[in-house]
Amino acid sequence: MTAPASIDCGGNVRLERGVRCRLSDGIELVSDHYYPAQPGPRPTLLMRQPYGRDIASTVVYAHPAWFARHGYNVVIQDVRGRGDSEGEFYPFRHEGCDGAETIAWLRSLPESNGRVGMYGFSYHGMTQLLAAAEHPEGLQCIAPGMTAHDLYHGWFYHHGALRFAAILGWGLQMLKDDARRLKLREASDRLEQAWANLPSQAGVLPFRNHPAIQGERVPRYVLDWFDHHEPGDYWSAMDLSRTVNQVRVPALHTSGWYDLFSHGSIDGFLALTEHAATPFAREHQYLVAGPWLHIPWGDRIGASDFGSEALIDADAILLRWFNHWLKDSGEFAAEPKIRHFVLGENRWREAQSWPARAKQPFYLYSDGKANSRKGDGELSSAPPRTEQSCDIFICDPEVPVLSPGPNAQAGQFDQSSLELGNNVLVYTSEPLDKALNVFGTPRVCLYCSTSSAHTDFTAKLVRVRPGGAAEFICMGIARSSWLFAESGYVADKIHLWEFDLEPTSCVFAAGDCVRLEIAGSAFPLYDRNPGTDVPSCRATSWDWHRSTQLVFHDGKRPSALYLPVSETPA
């Protein structure tokens, strides 16, 4: 076997390409190793990823050579079945065991001093969590970014609704590489054509039968994601939802307020803070939450400018984190448990704990015509004491309410145009007399009935500026089959819909208004509920059924938005 090539990367860093690690089942995984020129042994930073080890997540992180110049052996490994690594790729399924065996192997190398940290975001974040749950000797810290410890609730589905555009897009992306690896030319062509016109793929029905994800020898994991539309053993066998209490290491979690995994990242931070294996691990969970998308991490999303403070040096934070745990520098000891960026104030704040459940209510009011922002919907801190007419809108799968951003893009987009439809209920407060500081997880409690036993409700928090701009902050969704899985959901009966929105940190300035939008869909961000018992992934227009949605807000049924409000910024 030819020895791996050794290459001078400049800056006193040497790269050894194509290093092979043989696992206990005979599969060989391939990695690139970056070494400081000075002799070791040294601590090792490990990233395990499925997208190409030469990329090494440089879309958001510094190149591995940068970390090597700061005194680390840096290893970027292709996971099983990706890149040059052997085996069959099935997302998440082998990452715990493979990661633990990789760490054991790395510690046996002469350049290693036995101390290992892991980093990376998205899928690479999950490889860290799964490896940590195996508690391999020598793994001393991890830094999972924009990921989820619970695949069903934090990655693929949100309160029963599929994160449709993101999951279909990611599935097509992953299958493209599989098709090329398996030399499936026709399947590859179909996938490339779909990928080249990604926005139009949302219109393929039923989406489980999308031609690009079908075919002999095409891996079926995307079909499995669609078929397993309820929580259960399929998901928990691949994640940490039942094994979070096995993690014994400190973790630095990174989240973005406009990332599709914001809820998943923060839930992972909270789960480890409460349930990690040891008091030491529970004590040393940290969170950095910024105004970011999944990619990139910067100061702008669309036309929104979050200011220079949003351009935080994530690499410098990572370096201090690893220096602290792998070199005993102590330089992370004074860090707050939570560092969060306040939207609107456009600056970083600190907190030592995540806020308790949202408590400040904004009650819904109207004379029965809250449809669109032209309607009479209001929010008030005073609970309703008299009878009010309920609000009514039609939820039509054929004409769904669109996502907050174009083509399911995330960001602080102006909702004014979307608020003109009568299929959206709009409730707005009076202009605020003083600033309102919101940090945590907003929540809604809605008394509703629907003409169908299968339906969704969405709730969107919006900040209305004095000039009329309606800036999207966050939203939530709940599906009747998920929210009422135990009690059962009955058409034409009033039920209490109580569910969380995505977490946030923002300031409503004096003069701003708080707005709540209620609808029955947010497509293609989430899949549309067909309104029948046909699973969404198998539904065509023949299965679509309109539903009349009633929202009650009177003295006996005080529907409300609850915000996690503090008197001063945290």
Side-chain angles (χ1 to χ4, degrees):
M1 182 180 297
T2 304
S6 181
I7 298 163
D8 182 1
C9 292
N12 293 318
V13 172
R14 180 169 57 89
L15 163 62
E16 193 175 11
R17 283 192 183 137
V19 183
R20 306 184 78 83
C21 164
R22 180 177 290 272
L23 302 178
S24 59
D25 63 358
I27 293 294
E28 289 191 345
L29 306 183
V30 179
S31 52
D32 289 343
H33 294 217
Y34 298 81
Y35 307 113
Q38 299 82 3
R42 297 179 180 276
T44 301
L45 302 183
L46 170 64
M47 176 189 292
R48 305 190 64 253
Q49 53 72 50
Y51 300 113
R53 63 185 189 275
D54 54 335
I55 299 174
S57 282
T58 49
V59 289
V60 292
Y61 297 120
H63 193 273
W66 184 85
F67 291 101
R69 285 197 293 272
H70 286 85
Y72 291 94
N73 304 320
V74 186
V75 175
I76 313 297
Q77 185 181 70
D78 291 330
V79 300
R80 179 185 295 249
R82 305 296 282 186
D84 293 322
S85 290
E86 297 176 349
E88 180 182 347
F89 177 68
Y90 194 105
F92 312 108
R93 182 166 285 173
H94 302 284
E95 306 305 357
C97 183
D98 288 359
E101 289 197 32
T102 295
I103 290 168
W105 166 70
L106 289 173
R107 295 181 74 241
S108 73
L109 301 179
E111 62 269 19
S112 169
N113 68 0
R115 307 177 78 174
V116 179
M118 296 183 73
Y119 77 110
F121 84 116
S122 195
Y123 192 94
H124 325 350
M126 197 62 179
T127 64
Q128 297 172 62
L129 293 167
L130 289 166
E134 301 287 326
H135 42 86
E137 185 177 355
L139 180 63
Q140 298 197 336
C141 64
I142 58 177
M146 297 189 175
T147 190
H149 81 294
D150 184 323
L151 288 175
Y152 180 83
H153 294 99
W155 188 298
F156 288 87
Y157 290 83
H158 186 192
H159 296 162
L162 176 69
R163 299 179 187 275
F164 175 60
I167 298 308
L168 177 61
W170 186 52
L172 292 170
Q173 177 189 3
M174 303 307 280
L175 289 176
K176 279 199 310 165
D177 282 350
D178 289 324
R180 285 196 291 266
R181 182 185 178 94
L182 296 169
K183 295 181 170 50
L184 304 176
R185 185 55 186 264
E186 291 184 6
S188 177
D189 289 346
R190 291 195 303 271
L191 287 157
E192 291 290 353
Q193 290 169 8
W195 182 255
N197 193 11
L198 199 54
S200 68
Q201 306 313 307
V204 176
L205 294 171
F207 61 81
R208 191 195 181 281
N209 291 356
H210 194 299
I213 63 177
Q214 312 293 325
E216 185 179 359
R217 297 180 61 210
V218 174
R220 62 164 292 114
Y221 52 79
V222 177
L223 301 178
D224 290 343
W225 299 342
F226 296 156
D227 287 343
H228 292 88
H229 48 81
E230 296 179 351
D233 291 342
Y234 169 79
W235 299 105
S236 60
M238 300 187 296
D239 66 17
L240 270 71
S241 58
R242 298 178 185 174
T243 57
V244 68
N245 60 353
Q246 300 297 312
V247 176
R248 302 178 181 178
V249 296
L252 173 61
H253 306 258
T254 303
S255 180
W257 296 133
Y258 291 112
D259 176 41
L260 73 159
F261 302 142
S262 63
H263 167 67
S265 295
I266 291 171
D267 269 9
F269 162 73
L270 294 174
L272 285 168
T273 297
E274 296 173 10
H275 303 296
T278 66
F280 176 81
R282 294 192 292 272
E283 174 66 19
H284 293 292
Q285 302 296 317
Y286 297 82
L287 172 67
V288 177
W292 307 313
L293 299 165
H294 200 59
I295 304 172
W297 306 350
D299 60 350
R300 296 174 190 272
I301 301 176
S304 299
D305 183 351
F306 299 110
S308 59
E309 284 200 28
L311 296 171
I312 194 170
D313 191 339
D315 300 313
I317 293 175
L318 272 182
L319 187 62
R320 291 192 292 110
W321 172 255
F322 289 126
N323 287 345
H324 179 89
W325 296 110
L326 302 180
K327 295 184 177 181
D328 302 321
S329 71
E331 59 196 277
F332 217 82
E335 287 291 318
K337 290 295 187 291
I338 299 172
R339 186 185 300 274
H340 61 102
F341 189 90
V342 184
L343 304 171
E345 191 178 50
N346 288 356
R347 61 169 294 183
W348 292 93
R349 294 284 185 176
E350 299 176 356
Q352 288 304 118
S353 61
W354 187 255
R357 173 164 289 189
K359 293 182 178 179
Q360 180 159 330
F362 285 80
Y363 294 98
L364 280 57
Y365 279 80
S366 82
D367 288 328
K369 196 171 180 293
N371 308 78
S372 86
R373 62 183 169 87
K374 300 179 292 182
D376 61 6
E378 298 178 2
L379 291 177
S380 173
S381 59
R385 300 186 183 277
T386 59
E387 293 297 318
Q388 296 185 57
S389 298
C390 67
D391 288 307
I392 304 174
F393 69 96
I394 306 302
C395 180
D396 187 352
E398 188 170 4
V399 189
V401 175
L402 299 180
S403 305
N407 297 319
Q409 296 177 44
Q412 201 167 270
F413 292 104
D414 192 333
Q415 304 299 292
S416 299
S417 295
L418 291 177
E419 293 170 347
L420 291 174
N422 279 344
N423 53 357
V424 179
L425 303 181
V426 179
Y427 302 89
T428 309
S429 73
E430 292 292 324
L432 299 172
D433 294 329
K434 61 179 182 179
L436 190 71
N437 303 292
V438 176
F439 172 46
T441 306
R443 189 171 182 82
V444 291
C445 296
L446 307 174
Y447 291 88
C448 307
S449 72
T450 63
S451 62
S452 172
H454 301 274
T455 194
D456 296 346
F457 275 95
T458 68
K460 187 191 303 177
L461 177 62
V462 174
R463 179 175 54 202
V464 183
R465 295 300 200 184
E471 297 174 346
F472 173 74
I473 300 298
C474 62
M475 73 174 298
I477 187 170
R479 182 153 292 175
S480 57
S481 57
W482 178 86
L483 192 60
F484 304 97
E486 295 185 4
S487 60
Y489 190 77
V490 180
D492 296 319
K493 177 183 176 181
I494 299 175
H495 296 263
L496 175 59
W497 289 67
E498 189 171 6
F499 58 93
D500 289 342
L501 281 62
E502 301 277 14
T504 191
S505 177
C506 65
V507 167
F508 290 77
D512 289 348
C513 300
V514 178
R515 177 170 288 171
L516 174 68
E517 296 177 20
I518 297 173
S521 54
F523 183 78
L525 182 65
Y526 298 105
D527 63 331
R528 52 185 139 198
N529 192 322
T532 62
D533 59 3
V534 178
S536 172
C537 66
R538 298 178 182 272
T540 70
S541 59
W542 288 84
D543 304 299
W544 289 345
H545 179 74
R546 287 187 290 272
S547 176
T548 301
Q549 319 278 88
L550 283 68
V551 178
F552 298 84
H553 42 78
D554 51 44
K556 295 180 180 179
R557 295 160 296 201
S559 293
L561 162 71
Y562 290 86
L563 295 180
V565 171
S566 59
E567 290 299 320
T568 57

